[in-house]
Amino acid sequence: MPRTSEPGRTVSSRLLELLFAFSPDAPDLSLADLARKTGLPHPTARRLVLELVKAGALDQRRDGRYVVGIRLWQLGTLSPLTESLRTMAQPFMEDLFTALNQHVQLAVVDGRQAVVLDRLSAPHAVGLVSQVGGRLPLHCSGVGKVLLSHADNELVEDVITGELGRHTANTVTDPQTLRRELAECRRTGYALVRGELTEGADSIATRVLNREGRVVAALAVVVRSGSVQPQSVLPSVITSGLGLSRRLGWQPGVRIREGLAPPD
């Protein structure tokens, strides 16, 4: 495999660094941005970016900035994690959205964060810190607590013994308090999070299971604090989570297993 002038950094690794520089918070980048974010020399970044544009992985806009290309997007749609789960979840999310007219979102775990796979939002709904493809902390978001509560011990300990960032005055940052909340969430299958990540936003989240009884995702409704009682929304959220779980092959009586799993 061809290597760059830096030991341990191959051409392919540099190409991937350039692609991974894009994110929901940075969907378009200049050549200078890409060189800065990857640490590549400007001439090297330019040469590799031009190769990615030629291959269709990146597109260059008229203003000179770069965006993810259509061929890379088409490749991403083949991922079962982002497509089949979203497709199966869509009718349940639409029903929740129609009934409640609030944010409805679906998330999975990626490393020490939750990633929002899909979201339906009403124009009047409370503003949120993330968007589709964005990341949420596991310790203080509704979907995050559901996912973390069903993760293996290694991830749980990694998060709890790490830095529990405070986002609002309500964020739970005490490890023992968080342990108790996770134990309760694991027992019930849902989490009620009140203004911990976004001030004035409450999240009602539940688990989504596969046929083996492992959690593959979390489904949540996010409402403006005080606009509705979270307990009144909870039955609809749990019902939708169970319905989606059945679509994924889960059946009542299947034991809930420890450890997250990707969707089938």
Side-chain angles (χ1 to χ4, degrees):
M1 181 180 294
R3 291 189 174 272
T4 65
S5 58
E6 294 183 48
R9 296 185 75 187
T10 64
V11 171
S12 58
S13 71
R14 289 185 168 196
L15 290 170
L16 289 173
E17 285 182 33
L18 287 166
L19 294 175
F20 292 153
F22 293 87
S23 69
D25 295 328
D28 58 279
L29 297 169
S30 67
L31 184 58
D33 293 332
L34 287 164
R36 175 178 51 81
K37 289 171 75 72
T38 60
L40 294 173
H42 194 279
T44 302
R46 182 177 184 276
R47 175 174 58 81
L48 295 178
V49 165
L50 291 177
E51 289 186 22
L52 290 170
V53 170
K54 185 177 180 180
L58 293 180
D59 287 332
Q60 185 174 24
R61 301 190 318 200
R62 290 185 178 181
D63 62 3
R65 297 177 71 83
Y66 296 91
V67 296
V68 171
I70 188 66
R71 292 193 67 183
L72 192 62
W73 175 84
Q74 289 172 330
L75 183 64
T77 63
L78 300 178
S79 169
L81 181 61
T82 59
E83 187 54 33
S84 61
L85 180 57
R86 287 176 64 183
T87 300
M88 290 185 180
Q90 189 171 20
F92 300 98
M93 295 181 67
E94 289 175 348
D95 286 350
L96 276 175
F97 179 75
T98 300
L100 303 174
N101 204 25
Q102 301 285 346
H103 293 295
V104 180
Q105 61 186 20
L106 180 73
V108 297
V109 75
D110 183 29
R112 292 181 58 186
Q113 295 176 306
V115 177
V116 180
L117 285 189
D118 204 358
R119 175 184 290 154
L120 300 176
S121 296
H124 70 277
V126 62
L128 298 180
V129 298
S130 68
Q131 55 188 321
V132 174
R135 294 175 176 270
L136 300 172
L138 294 177
H139 73 284
C140 62
S141 62
V143 292
K145 288 192 179 185
V146 167
L147 293 167
L148 184 59
S149 70
H150 292 84
D152 56 50
N153 289 333
E154 183 178 356
L155 178 57
V156 173
E157 292 303 315
D158 189 36
V159 172
I160 291 181
T161 59
E163 182 180 355
L164 299 176
R166 181 177 293 280
H167 297 266
T168 73
N170 293 330
T171 304
V172 172
T173 57
D174 176 64
Q176 294 309 313
T177 301
L178 182 56
R179 286 185 192 278
R180 289 193 295 269
E181 289 189 352
L182 295 178
E184 180 66 9
C185 181
R186 189 161 49 247
R187 184 183 69 84
T188 63
Y190 67 83
L192 300 180
V193 175
R194 300 173 185 265
E196 290 192 43
L197 179 60
T198 302
E199 199 167 325
D202 296 341
S203 179
I204 304 94
T206 192
R207 61 196 175 197
V208 177
L209 304 160
N210 67 5
R211 64 170 59 90
E212 297 174 349
R214 295 188 186 276
V215 171
V216 296
L219 180 66
V221 169
V222 184
V223 303
R224 190 181 305 276
S225 299
S227 62
V228 297
Q229 288 297 320
Q231 289 287 355
S232 68
V233 175
L234 184 59
S236 297
V237 177
I238 291 177
T239 299
S240 296
L242 291 173
L244 177 53
S245 298
R246 283 177 175 268
R247 284 288 306 275
L248 294 174
W250 177 81
Q251 293 294 328
V254 174
R255 182 173 62 89
I256 310 302
R257 298 178 181 271
E258 180 183 299
L260 301 172
D264 295 335

